[in-house]
Amino acid sequence: MISNPEQAQILANLGIDVLNPMQEAAQKAIRQANDTFLIAPTGSGKTVAFLLPILQRLDPAIPKVQCLVLAPSRELAVQIEQVWKKMATGYKVNVCYGGHSVETEINNLSNPPALLIGTPGRICDHIERRSVALDSVLTIVLDEFDKSLQLGFHEEMAFIVKNLPHLRKRVLVSATSDVQIPDFVRLHAPTTLTFTASGESAPALTMKVVHADDKDKIDTLFTLLCSLNSEAALIFLNHREAADRTSDLLNERGIFSTVYHGGLEQVDRERALIQFRNGSVTYLVTTDLAARGLDIPEMKHVIHYHLPQKEQEFIHRNGRTARMLATGTAYVILGPDEPRPDFLPDDMEELQPVANHPLPAPPDFVTLYVSGGKKNKLNKVDIVGFFSQKGQLGKGDLGRIDVQDFMSFAAVKRDKVDALLARIKDEKMKGKKYKIERAR
């Protein structure tokens, strides 16, 4: 059990003043012996809600994996890892997922973490390789487990649960309430916590309909984006090819966008998110892959270029804005004669964006690629020091820094990039020369 001062420090590390009611209830439930089923909307703080009580269940005297967290996507797994690291608990954590070096993961697991996070497929791989021992796992968390089932991970999750001989505690986490819990989970007298979007917070989301004159909505989208005061937005489409085409057309017109979907290579998906998170790209054109489970900034604007087939996905998309009692707007672009699904409210305000707005301003930052990362013994402090001292960057010139295993990315103010690259061209960082250039 962690003390109140310890918890206060952890919350301070996370930038949180107090836990919200959902997090308080989850902490109490997960500390108990019986299983927990937590249902809460996207953006409500579910990751902290289960990680904090998980910390309280760890035993520093056990040098093995004690808790396993399964997530449906690499992005969500990494996000959970990042939250844990911000908590600064003193317990080791490792994350395993497809597209990541298996050799690196095996090396990391040779010194077992207390908390292991991963996607179902990769965790199965490690079980079969016998590269990790899970006989001391007492707690499993299935985060966004309904999404894992949708993606076809039923057999993998059943296999993993079967290989946890001393499992005592199951925690299921979802943003969706109407989910059939598979038998392999074997929930025991679960405490079910349901926190849906309350009527009090619902008005924080405003929905507007934008009617397009043509079946091809690109002109309407362009005009809408120009009217949003250069503020970032998520643009949802139903198909990968359409997302690629739309992003290309926006960039041709001078709007800084990037694309994100499951058809991209893992490294390209990572770079797209990094550039969007750090403010180097203003608009993320995406499929429903970005509707939940991603570490992205608070969005004021969500745009439905295409409407999804199911209401649940519509809800998840809208959950990327108006989060944690903030305000946001969801825009639905409807083409001529496009059928209006039943889940669209009848009283949506109609917006008619005018075409005389200037182009959105270029992003404040540019992303730089560094050819070294954690495995090269580089960290954020090293990069900040190098760019500040050798590159002569001032306060506020350097934005978000993402350090991966063998590469890093740093956001630098657009008007400082050329001078920075010229100054550090022949300089060494920690005694070694690294390639540093604009990220592709």
Side-chain angles (χ1 to χ4, degrees):
M1 181 71 68
I2 60 175
S3 66
N4 287 336
E6 288 174 318
Q7 177 163 309
Q9 182 59 57
I10 289 170
L11 295 184
N13 295 340
L14 293 168
I16 298 173
D17 294 326
V18 294
L19 296 176
N20 62 37
M22 179 273 292
Q23 292 165 335
E24 289 277 11
Q27 182 171 221
K28 180 179 179 181
I30 295 173
R31 282 201 305 240
Q32 306 304 316
N34 53 317
D35 296 334
T36 303
F37 183 18
L38 172 62
I39 305 162
T42 300
S44 56
K46 294 192 293 293
T47 302
V48 173
F50 67 75
L51 284 183
L52 195 58
I54 289 300
L55 169 61
Q56 297 174 345
R57 297 178 64 87
L58 297 181
D59 184 347
I62 300 176
K64 293 184 177 182
V65 181
Q66 299 178 55
C67 177
L68 174 63
V69 179
L70 294 182
S73 68
R74 173 263 170 203
E75 289 81 7
L76 180 55
V78 171
Q79 178 183 332
I80 297 167
E81 178 203 30
Q82 291 171 342
V83 173
W84 183 266
K85 286 184 174 180
K86 285 182 182 178
M87 290 169 63
T89 66
Y91 286 99
K92 185 185 178 188
V93 61
N94 282 135
V95 62
C96 302
Y97 51 86
H100 194 219
S101 167
V102 174
E103 290 74 18
T104 298
E105 291 180 356
I106 291 174
N107 183 57
N108 290 337
L109 293 171
S110 64
N111 177 21
L115 176 66
L116 178 60
I117 305 164
T119 53
R122 182 51 64 92
I123 296 299
C124 280
D125 188 19
H126 282 297
I127 292 174
E128 291 170 342
R129 290 172 183 265
R130 299 186 179 180
S131 49
V132 62
L134 299 179
D135 56 304
S136 292
V137 171
L138 302 180
T139 305
I140 187 170
V141 179
L142 304 180
D143 194 12
E144 297 283 13
F145 79 98
D146 57 312
K147 188 69 172 178
S148 292
L149 294 174
Q150 289 176 17
L151 293 173
F153 289 130
H154 187 288
E155 291 185 5
E156 287 87 347
M157 291 194 293
F159 175 76
I160 292 168
V161 172
K162 183 180 178 181
N163 279 273
L164 303 178
H166 299 116
L167 185 62
R168 296 179 187 170
K169 178 81 175 178
R170 297 159 180 83
V171 179
L172 274 62
V173 183
S174 175
T176 305
S177 58
D178 54 344
V179 182
Q180 184 70 35
I181 300 174
D183 292 339
F184 71 78
V185 178
R186 297 182 182 176
L187 278 188
H188 174 66
T191 298
T192 300
L193 305 174
T194 303
F195 289 82
T196 56
S198 66
E200 181 178 329
S201 63
L205 174 65
T206 301
M207 285 196 275
K208 299 183 180 183
V209 60
V210 182
H211 290 286
D213 294 330
D214 301 313
K215 185 176 180 181
D216 188 339
K217 308 174 186 177
I218 190 65
D219 291 336
T220 303
L221 175 62
F222 176 80
T223 303
L224 175 60
L225 293 178
C226 290
S227 72
L228 298 184
N229 300 316
S230 303
E231 294 173 339
L234 277 171
I235 304 166
F236 284 101
L237 292 89
N238 290 344
H239 308 291
R240 298 169 179 178
E241 296 78 7
D244 289 333
R245 172 181 174 272
T246 301
S247 181
D248 289 342
L249 289 173
L250 290 177
N251 282 304
E252 288 174 8
R253 297 188 182 202
I255 288 184
F256 288 76
S257 74
T258 192
V259 69
Y260 176 85
H261 58 66
L264 298 175
E265 294 291 332
Q266 186 69 51
V267 64
D268 294 325
R269 296 213 309 261
E270 288 183 17
R271 292 190 184 195
L273 287 180
I274 285 170
Q275 291 178 318
F276 186 61
R277 280 195 299 251
N278 68 23
S280 297
V281 170
T282 312
Y283 307 104
L284 188 68
V285 183
T286 181
T287 60
D288 284 325
L289 186 63
R292 50 177 166 166
L294 292 186
D295 176 23
I296 56 177
E298 173 63 44
M299 290 288 98
K300 287 187 178 181
H301 308 286
V302 165
I303 299 172
H304 301 272
Y305 191 84
H306 294 151
L307 280 169
Q309 298 297 316
K310 297 181 180 180
E311 180 179 12
Q312 205 61 51
E313 291 308 320
F314 183 68
I315 293 171
H316 285 309
R317 289 180 180 185
N318 291 338
R320 303 311 310 190
T321 189
R323 305 174 73 186
M324 301 297 286
L325 301 182
T327 59
T329 304
Y331 306 85
V332 175
I333 302 179
L334 287 179
D337 303 321
E338 183 176 349
R340 187 179 180 123
D342 293 337
F343 58 74
L344 277 189
D346 294 328
D347 58 349
M348 290 177 65
E349 176 187 345
E350 183 174 346
L351 175 68
Q352 294 180 322
V354 293
N356 61 355
H357 290 281
L359 277 171
D364 291 336
F365 290 93
V366 170
T367 300
L368 296 186
Y369 161 82
V370 181
S371 64
K374 299 173 187 174
K375 301 302 180 181
N376 307 101
K377 307 301 183 184
L378 286 185
N379 57 39
K380 291 182 182 180
V381 175
D382 298 325
I383 296 173
V384 170
F386 181 69
F387 281 9
S388 300
Q389 296 166 20
K390 300 294 185 180
Q392 299 178 27
L393 290 186
K395 186 177 181 180
D397 292 337
L398 187 59
R400 177 171 175 144
I401 297 173
D402 290 87
V403 181
Q404 301 180 351
D405 284 343
F406 297 102
M407 66 185 77
S408 303
F409 298 91
V412 176
K413 277 293 182 68
R414 181 172 295 275
D415 59 353
K416 302 292 182 179
V417 170
D418 290 339
L420 169 71
L421 292 176
R423 292 187 186 109
I424 63 177
K425 182 179 179 182
D426 299 314
E427 297 289 348
K428 294 181 179 180
M429 181 164 34
K430 295 186 74 174
K432 183 177 179 180
K433 184 76 168 63
Y434 292 97
K435 178 187 286 187
I436 301 176
E437 61 188 10
R438 283 180 172 84
R440 298 191 304 274

